[in-house]
């Protein structure tokens, strides 16, 4: 075995902050698959079976289905891959085997191979190997294993989870480890569910002032326990933001509350107003505001001009006191994002998911970023996935990619090894602790869990 360099040892051993996940909760990992099945059925998909996630789901139910589809796998073959009711493991895998052969070397495919090897000890996907891995998965789907996989196997300091909800309640399976974002995606898309808002805040929304009060009430209740605010509305609208007056927003809200069809212009007016309210409340409550930029998951539905980080410049200039975390390197507009990060002091950039989308472009992005932008403005990792096993694989990709980038800088004579180690520490942990109030959030969560009357 080759001797590791000091840089390799540092990157492989340092606890890595994970700034972005969509992890299902403990009872979905160690319990049944009801939530996932319900979400798939809501999306119009069927036949996902009634069993707990099996090995094919654990290996492939992440981002790789989009590459399989691009490689030629049919929707039916992918549906059967994830439905235990349609056949045994080999029969279900055979339907996507040819597409898998073409996909296995993409970033998404590499992650599948890493899960197979690092979690299940499989060098290739064979019928006997899959059966053996299924038995191992049954052992892993136990209380506490989700935390162990993430903290001990992936070597994560903590994870920041977007579970698409306003509520940021303590996760008792690891209250210091599992921290949550306050979701703002719906409001930025002008989704105003009056029943949900009334249940959450007690406010009946019929006017813009009611809505303003409800948004503030959501922050008052959950911001102390949130690690950030998060919106991924670029899947449903442009990232371009315009300042809207109260009068404009009030008229748009009246249309939305009336029910029926809402045109895009009206939706953008109310969405921009709610988005700005969220930014102002995030500043008031000392929370960074995370924004999805760049590439869309899935296939066949990405209006590419929506996702450019450059669309955000008006917002960034309007709120210089806010802390904006722009995610996923705005791929494929990464050069544009470097320019934005260089220009706007209130911008941080997150490599979450980028290592799997395009590992080599991401390593190149790190090098270009370091030569253009102060190194305290970049975060190295977020897995952006549902399963802890996938997060293990994505963390390995991040460590490998960061090592590749920094070794290239050393080889070029632009960094010494000690300088590269210092940069690695910044990107993997120090920058995140400087941007997010991690210690304060943990303290608030502990206080909330403290029994009444106990000091």
């Amino acid at each position: 075995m080759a001797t590791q360099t000091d840089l390799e040892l540092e990157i492989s051993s340092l606890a890595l902050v994970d700034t972005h996940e969509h992890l299902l909760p403990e009872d979905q990992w160690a319990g049944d698959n009801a939530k996932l099945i319900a979400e798939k059925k809501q999306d119009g998909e069927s036949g996902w079976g009634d069993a707990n996630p099996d090995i094919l789901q654990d290996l492939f139910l992440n981002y790789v289905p989009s590459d399989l589809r691009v490689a030629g796998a049919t929707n039916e073959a992918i549906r059967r891959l994830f439905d235990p009711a349609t056949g045994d493991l080999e029969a279900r895998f055979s339907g996507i085997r040819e597409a898998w052969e073409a996909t296995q070397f993409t970033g998404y495919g590499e992650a599948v191979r890493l899960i197979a090897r690092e979690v299940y000890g499989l060098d290739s996907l064979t019928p006997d190997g899959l059966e053996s891995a299924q038995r191992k998965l049954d052992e892993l789907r136990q209380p506490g294993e989700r935390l162990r996989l993430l903290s001990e196997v992936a070597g994560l300091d903590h994870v920041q989870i977007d579970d698409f909800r306003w509520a940021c309640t303590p996760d008792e399976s690891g209250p210091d480890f599992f921290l949550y974002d306050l979701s703002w995606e719906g409001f930025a898309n002008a989704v105003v569910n009056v029943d949900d808002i009334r249940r959450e805040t007690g406010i009946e929304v019929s006017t813009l002032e009611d809505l303003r009060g409800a948004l503030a009430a959501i922050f008052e209740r959950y911001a102390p326990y949130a690690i950030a605010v998060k919106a991924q509305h670029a899947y449903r609208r442009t990232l371009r933001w315009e300042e809207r007056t109260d009068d404009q927003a009030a008229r748009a809200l009246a249309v939305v509350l009336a029910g029926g069809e809402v045109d895009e212009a009206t939706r953008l007016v109310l969405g921009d107003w709610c988005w700005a309210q969220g930014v102002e409340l995030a500043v008031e409550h000392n929370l960074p505001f995370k924004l999805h930029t760049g590439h869309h998951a899935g296939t066949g539905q990405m209006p590419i001009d929506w996702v450019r980080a450059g669309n955000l410049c008006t917002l960034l200039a309007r709120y210089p006191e806010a802390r904006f975390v722009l995610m996923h390197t705005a791929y494929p507009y990464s050069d544009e994002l470097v320019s934005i990060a260089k220009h706007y002091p209130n911008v941080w950039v997150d490599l979450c998911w980028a290592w799997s989308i395009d590992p080599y472009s991401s390593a190149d992005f790190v090098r270009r970023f370091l030569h253009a932008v102060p190194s305290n403005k970049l975060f190295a990792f977020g897995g952006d996935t549902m399963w802890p096993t996938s997060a293990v694989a994505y963390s390995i990709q991040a460590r490998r990619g960061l090592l590749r980038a920094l070794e290239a800088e050393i080889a070029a004579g632009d960094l010494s090894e000690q300088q590269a180690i210092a940069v690695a520490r910044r990107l993997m942990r120090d920058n995140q602790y400087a941007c997010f109030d991690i210690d304060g959030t943990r303290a608030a969560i502990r206080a909330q869990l403290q029994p009444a009357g106990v000091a």
Side-chain angles (χ1 to χ4, degrees):
M1 181 179 294
T3 302
Q4 286 186 304
T5 65
D6 289 344
L7 178 62
E8 286 178 284
L9 286 169
E10 185 69 23
I11 290 176
S12 65
S13 61
L14 187 67
L16 177 62
V17 171
D18 183 342
T19 49
H20 184 49
E21 296 290 356
H22 296 295
L23 291 167
L24 296 178
E26 178 81 351
D27 61 354
Q28 297 300 324
W29 172 253
D32 63 36
N33 200 22
K35 179 179 179 183
L36 179 60
I37 294 167
E39 289 173 347
K40 293 299 177 184
K41 289 181 177 176
Q42 277 184 349
D43 289 341
E45 300 176 38
S46 60
W48 289 77
D50 295 322
N52 293 339
D54 71 2
I55 188 60
L56 291 178
Q57 292 172 331
D58 194 56
L59 287 170
F60 289 96
L61 193 52
N62 38 61
Y63 288 104
V64 77
S66 61
D67 279 357
L68 294 174
R69 187 71 188 88
V70 169
T74 66
N75 288 334
E76 176 62 16
I78 293 172
R79 185 193 68 79
R80 292 182 73 251
L81 177 70
F82 296 129
D83 187 352
T86 63
D88 61 22
L89 295 174
E90 170 60 14
R92 289 156 55 207
F93 179 63
S94 66
I96 58 97
R97 188 188 304 277
E98 186 174 343
W100 167 245
E101 291 298 319
T103 297
Q104 62 181 311
F105 301 115
T106 69
Y108 295 164
E110 179 187 50
V112 173
R113 292 185 289 115
L114 286 169
I115 300 167
R117 187 175 73 240
E118 300 299 327
V119 178
Y120 298 109
L122 301 180
D123 288 324
S124 60
L125 302 182
T126 65
D128 287 346
L130 289 172
E131 292 290 348
S132 172
Q134 179 61 54
R135 293 190 291 274
K136 174 66 172 177
L137 175 59
D138 292 340
E139 295 172 4
L140 292 175
R141 285 178 49 81
Q142 303 296 326
E145 284 296 302
R146 170 172 162 264
L147 175 60
R148 186 191 67 82
L149 282 165
L150 294 165
S151 63
E152 297 181 17
V153 181
L156 303 182
D157 176 89
H158 72 275
V159 299
Q160 299 177 12
I161 301 173
D162 171 19
D163 62 357
F164 312 104
R165 302 189 307 148
W166 306 323
C168 297
T169 53
D171 188 327
E172 295 192 17
S173 65
D176 273 357
F177 189 85
F178 298 107
L179 308 181
Y180 287 83
D181 297 330
L182 193 163
S183 178
W184 214 247
E185 182 266 346
F187 288 127
N189 274 313
V191 175
V192 180
N193 189 312
V194 293
D195 293 333
D196 288 347
I197 291 172
R198 183 180 58 251
R199 280 191 293 269
E200 196 69 57
T201 68
I203 296 173
E204 187 76 40
V205 173
S206 60
T207 69
L208 192 70
E209 285 309 305
D210 295 334
L211 180 56
R212 194 195 309 270
L215 303 184
I218 289 169
F219 266 80
E220 284 294 329
R221 183 170 183 181
Y222 293 118
Y225 317 110
I227 192 63
V229 183
K230 165 70 193 305
Q232 64 272 35
H233 53 279
Y235 278 90
R236 297 171 59 190
R237 56 157 288 182
T238 177
L239 282 172
R240 189 174 300 279
W241 176 86
E242 295 181 34
E243 187 150 17
R244 314 291 186 167
T245 67
D246 284 359
D247 286 344
Q248 291 173 321
R251 289 193 294 271
L253 177 63
V255 174
V256 170
L257 294 180
E261 195 69 25
V262 179
D263 63 82
E264 182 181 16
T266 300
R267 188 165 58 87
L268 288 174
V269 167
L270 185 57
D272 283 348
W273 185 89
C274 290
W275 185 359
Q277 292 293 306
V279 172
E280 291 171 13
L281 288 163
V283 171
E284 179 183 338
H285 291 271
N286 191 33
L287 293 175
F289 201 114
K290 300 177 178 178
L291 288 164
H292 176 107
T293 66
H295 192 76
H296 282 181
T299 59
Q301 43 74 51
M302 180 172 59
I304 192 70
D305 195 53
W306 283 6
V307 303
R308 303 179 71 132
N311 288 327
L312 296 166
C313 288
T314 303
L315 182 74
L316 303 177
R318 172 64 178 81
Y319 293 105
E321 72 278 23
R323 303 197 301 282
F324 292 101
V325 178
L326 306 187
M327 309 171 85
H328 319 309
T329 71
Y331 182 86
Y333 300 112
S334 302
D335 284 342
E336 183 175 276
L337 182 58
V338 170
S339 175
I340 288 168
K342 186 175 183 66
H343 185 82
Y344 290 95
N346 56 342
V347 165
W348 283 255
V349 171
D350 199 328
L351 281 151
C352 56
W353 189 30
W355 297 109
S356 335
I357 296 173
D358 187 340
Y360 276 81
S361 291
S362 297
D364 180 63
F365 178 86
V366 169
R367 297 188 67 191
R368 287 184 289 117
F369 192 98
L370 291 176
H371 288 280
V373 185
S375 62
N376 62 332
K377 296 312 245 350
L378 185 62
F379 304 152
F381 176 64
D384 203 353
T385 187
M386 298 184 302
W387 305 122
T389 45
S390 294
V392 168
Y394 296 145
S395 71
I396 294 170
Q397 286 183 313
R399 292 181 196 270
R400 284 180 172 178
L402 183 59
L403 178 64
R404 184 183 302 126
L406 294 180
E407 284 182 332
E409 287 295 295
I410 294 170
D414 292 322
L415 292 178
S416 69
E417 186 173 32
Q418 286 307 306
Q419 287 172 327
I421 288 171
V423 168
R425 289 171 180 162
R426 275 188 179 276
L427 273 53
M428 295 174 72
R429 187 180 186 279
D430 294 351
N431 291 347
Q432 295 87 328
Y433 269 80
C435 180
F436 301 96
D437 186 12
I438 295 166
D439 293 332
T441 302
R442 285 169 166 164
I445 291 170
R446 290 190 209 108
Q448 188 185 27
L449 290 171
Q450 194 80 3
V454 176

